[in-house]
Amino acid sequence: MSEGLHLIVYLLYYNLILLRMIFNEEHKTQPITKAQVNEAFKKVRTNGGSPGVDGQTIGEIVENPRKYLYPLWNRMASGSYFPKPVKEVLIPKGKGKMRPLGIPTVIDRIAQHVIATQLEAMVDSSFSPNSFGYRPGKSAHDALTQCRNHCLRYSWVIDLDIKGFYDNIDHGLLLQAVRHHTLQKHILLYVERWLKTSVQRKDGILHQPKGKGTPQGGVIARCWPISLWILCLINGWQGSILTLNLNAMLMILWYTATILQKLFLS
């Protein structure tokens, strides 16, 4: 057999091995499929949004999805995906104050959607009918409608806000809340990595969280782990009230970190 033929056979064999690696999902260490990554990208594309620290746009991925989505799936499914820093953007909050928002890269938003969708399926049934924050099929308008209905029926309203909620949330306690609903290693792995992701400020300096706080704006940050935290707090608080056997009823409506508590006496 000539040297040229040997080379051709070798290249064919090598390419067959590569194709097998690309299309075989059975030997990955984490239960994440290419179909889940593709569906997550569709959600990110629909939601839109600006680029993160790498400057990559949604349009770039649309033009060549395989170039970007396959490597993302490969890393997530093997447990080797690490998010890039979150880009901090300041927006007006009112009264001259500014609210920091965290903008993950487009690729990281896709990764977050993969995990958030899995976690959502596990925990959504645990939430109160009065919970509206970032739940499928529910919106802020639904929360306002229910608030209006209760305000027409009852006479006591207490409106409150958790000050610095995203800045001070404890990572250890938040992970405990996630573990309460799932022990799937890949979910815990990536939620913890997102909590530890550094934040790149306007001056380019990276801020590393030290056991507390999470940027407000990412899919995971605004979605299920945060909602789980609120769920645990509210359920525990309601349980304490009920053990006192007070002659009162509690109606709680919450939308993300802002809580509208309606207390009406019988």
Side-chain angles (χ1 to χ4, degrees):
M1 187 180 291
S2 68
E3 183 177 343
L5 189 56
H6 272 294
L7 180 60
I8 292 173
V9 171
Y10 172 78
L11 290 174
L12 285 173
Y13 177 77
Y14 179 73
N15 286 328
L16 285 172
I17 294 296
L18 286 178
L19 287 172
R20 186 176 180 182
M21 290 174 62
I22 289 173
F23 292 106
N24 185 9
E25 297 183 356
E26 295 179 359
H27 301 296
K28 294 298 183 182
T29 59
Q30 311 301 327
I32 296 172
T33 67
K34 290 193 287 288
Q36 290 173 320
V37 174
N38 288 330
E39 286 301 312
F41 173 58
K42 290 178 184 177
K43 294 179 181 178
V44 171
R45 183 180 181 182
T46 300
N47 293 340
S50 58
V53 294
D54 59 0
Q56 186 179 58
T57 65
I58 294 175
E60 291 179 51
I61 301 176
V62 171
E63 291 176 1
N64 195 349
R66 182 169 179 78
K67 177 181 177 181
Y68 300 103
L69 298 186
Y70 172 75
L72 172 61
W73 164 77
N74 194 33
R75 292 196 298 271
M76 290 195 74
S78 62
S80 61
Y81 173 75
F82 286 87
K84 291 183 178 180
V86 174
K87 179 181 178 182
E88 184 181 76
V89 176
L90 299 178
I91 63 171
K93 185 179 180 179
K95 297 182 179 179
K97 297 182 179 180
M98 304 295 285
R99 181 193 303 277
L101 292 182
I103 302 178
T105 65
V106 176
I107 288 294
D108 196 44
R109 297 206 292 270
I110 298 170
Q112 290 188 26
H113 262 296
V114 171
I115 301 301
T117 300
Q118 293 183 10
L119 190 54
E120 175 184 284
M122 298 174 187
V123 304
D124 187 64
S125 60
S126 302
F127 282 89
S128 164
N130 298 306
S131 172
F132 296 89
Y134 303 106
R135 292 184 61 195
K138 293 179 179 288
S139 69
H141 294 289
D142 296 322
L144 289 172
T145 298
Q146 189 152 333
C147 283
R148 179 179 180 277
N149 292 337
H150 288 312
C151 288
L152 293 173
R153 295 176 60 191
Y154 308 111
S155 55
W156 287 84
V157 176
I158 302 175
D159 185 14
L160 60 98
D161 180 75
I162 303 175
K163 183 178 180 180
F165 181 83
Y166 286 91
D167 296 332
N168 296 290
I169 189 166
D170 185 276
H171 291 179
L173 294 177
L174 178 54
L175 286 169
Q176 283 185 35
V178 179
R179 290 190 190 98
H180 178 74
H181 289 274
T182 181
L183 294 177
Q184 292 196 29
K185 293 182 179 179
H186 70 291
I187 292 180
L188 298 173
L189 172 72
Y190 287 123
V191 168
E192 184 171 7
R193 285 182 185 174
W194 280 312
L195 287 174
K196 293 180 178 179
T197 301
S198 58
V199 177
Q200 181 176 299
R201 297 191 167 149
K202 190 175 182 180
D203 56 9
I205 295 176
L206 293 179
H207 170 73
Q208 189 70 37
K210 298 180 180 179
K212 70 174 184 177
T214 183
Q216 184 177 350
V219 178
I220 285 291
R222 75 188 184 202
C223 201
W224 292 106
I226 299 299
S227 298
L228 280 171
W229 174 262
I230 298 174
L231 177 66
C232 291
L233 286 176
I234 297 300
N235 284 351
W237 180 67
Q238 283 182 303
S240 299
I241 295 294
L242 292 175
T243 55
L244 295 176
N245 197 25
L246 295 177
N247 186 24
M249 295 179 65
L250 294 171
M251 178 62 68
I252 299 177
L253 293 156
W254 70 84
Y255 192 87
T256 188
T258 301
I259 303 172
L260 177 65
Q261 172 193 326
K262 191 166 208 41
L263 175 65
F264 50 95
L265 302 177
S266 60

